[in-house]
Amino acid sequence: MAIVSVPDASLSPQDLQKTVQAVQQYQAKALFSEPDVENRVLRTLATDLNLPLHEIDPLESGPLDPQHYFTAMRGNLETIANACR
């Protein structure tokens, strides 16, 4: 698994190159993004690399119920585990 940080707004050619290199180097099985980030370029990149694109909850907002953290993190873990199979 590799983590490549890319800007929310738009991907530069350098961002794309860095992401493609990481996918190839680490033989990534999926790409991940945040639910509220609208990035057509990332969706296109996932399609071009023949990789699924999954959403991970960044926990930046949500219910104030303390159990929300555990529920969201369990969901994130399941998403990552299923994507890496």
Side-chain angles (χ1 to χ4, degrees):
M1 179 181 289
I3 297 175
V4 179
S5 177
V6 293
D8 290 347
S10 64
L11 296 171
S12 71
Q14 293 82 11
D15 295 324
L16 291 172
Q17 182 179 14
K18 182 171 60 170
T19 303
V20 169
Q21 287 173 343
V23 164
Q24 293 169 342
Q25 179 180 356
Y26 297 102
Q27 300 175 350
K29 295 185 178 185
L31 297 179
F32 299 92
S33 70
E34 295 180 9
D36 294 332
V37 175
E38 175 58 41
N39 195 326
R40 285 181 277 156
V41 176
L42 189 57
R43 285 196 313 269
T44 301
L45 180 63
T47 300
D48 290 348
L49 293 171
N50 198 29
L51 294 173
L53 179 62
H54 298 279
E55 290 185 350
I56 298 294
D57 187 344
L59 300 171
E60 291 177 349
S61 63
L64 296 178
D65 175 12
Q67 288 302 312
H68 172 70
Y69 173 84
F70 296 107
T71 303
M73 290 306 285
R74 251 185 247 107
N76 285 343
L77 179 60
E78 288 176 17
T79 298
I80 293 168
N82 290 332
C84 291
R85 290 187 180 153

